[in-house]
Amino acid sequence: MGKKADGKVLAQNKKASHDYFIEDTYEAGMVLTGTEIKSLRNGRANIGDAFATIRGGEIFVHNMHISPFEQGNRSNPDDPTRTRKLLLHKEQISKLLGHSKQEGYTIVPLKVYVRNGYAKLLLGIGKGKKQYDKRDSAAKRDAQRDIQRALREKQKIAR
């Protein structure tokens, strides 16, 4: 029997690309309870305010909100934003630690998805953008949108 590779995105941090230059990404597994994974599969997660820290050679994600499962029982966690442990290889954790110790770098959760039946969290090494960088990114995005719009109009006229 083959593995199912759905890769469905359940939650995404859209502010991350606006606030950070993402330089490298890592895929981490998550330690969740049974009702948390059910709630997560229903799309009831938010990682907008989430951040990751490394303590004692282990990596944790904080402020990741997973709403309690409606049909849950006593194993439903009391705190929806509890600290959750992430699963990575030691070499990956040491690389993340090295990057995050540098000035201006942080570990940013980018998206939560399911792959091969397991919940995964995509972590990125982000360097904070300054205000002028954010304006520059917005200007480039708007210019690209204008170019695409002009190309579409030109194709309509050519027909």
Side-chain angles (χ1 to χ4, degrees):
M1 188 162 157
K3 287 186 177 181
K4 54 180 190 275
D6 32 6
K8 179 183 171 199
V9 175
L10 304 171
Q12 198 163 6
N13 188 352
K14 294 180 180 167
K15 274 187 356 186
S17 61
H18 183 263
D19 293 340
Y20 301 98
F21 292 113
I22 305 299
E23 298 187 359
D24 201 7
T25 58
Y26 295 90
E27 181 181 75
M30 292 188 286
V31 178
L32 300 172
T33 64
T35 55
E36 279 181 327
I37 188 67
K38 287 181 177 186
S39 185
L40 194 65
R41 285 180 188 270
N42 287 340
R44 313 252 308 151
N46 182 3
I47 59 170
D49 298 328
F51 63 96
T53 58
I54 299 174
R55 283 181 304 195
E58 295 179 333
I59 187 163
F60 298 92
V61 65
H62 304 273
N63 285 353
M64 183 172 115
H65 189 279
I66 298 177
S67 299
F69 189 58
E70 289 88 13
Q71 293 86 33
N73 54 10
R74 62 184 163 196
S75 70
N76 242 355
D78 297 331
D79 183 17
T81 59
R82 72 180 180 87
T83 301
R84 294 170 178 89
K85 185 177 175 181
L86 299 177
L87 306 172
L88 282 170
H89 294 287
K90 267 188 181 162
E91 304 87 48
Q92 291 174 320
I93 293 175
S94 62
K95 280 184 185 177
L96 280 170
L97 184 62
H99 283 300
S100 66
K101 290 282 188 201
Q102 294 177 13
E103 186 66 33
Y105 284 88
T106 186
I107 304 169
V108 184
L110 299 174
K111 61 181 162 183
V112 177
Y113 54 95
V114 175
R115 174 175 287 164
N116 297 334
Y118 295 102
K120 303 287 184 179
L121 179 67
L122 188 68
L123 294 172
I125 299 293
K127 183 168 175 50
K129 285 185 180 179
K130 304 278 189 245
Q131 191 64 39
Y132 59 85
D133 290 327
K134 293 179 187 179
R135 284 194 294 267
D136 188 44
S137 299
K140 284 181 184 175
R141 189 174 55 242
D142 291 343
Q144 192 65 33
R145 193 178 301 129
D146 291 341
I147 291 169
Q148 292 298 324
R149 187 179 302 125
L151 286 173
R152 277 197 305 272
E153 290 298 321
K154 194 172 186 179
Q155 286 175 349
K156 277 185 183 177
I157 294 170
R159 288 186 200 167

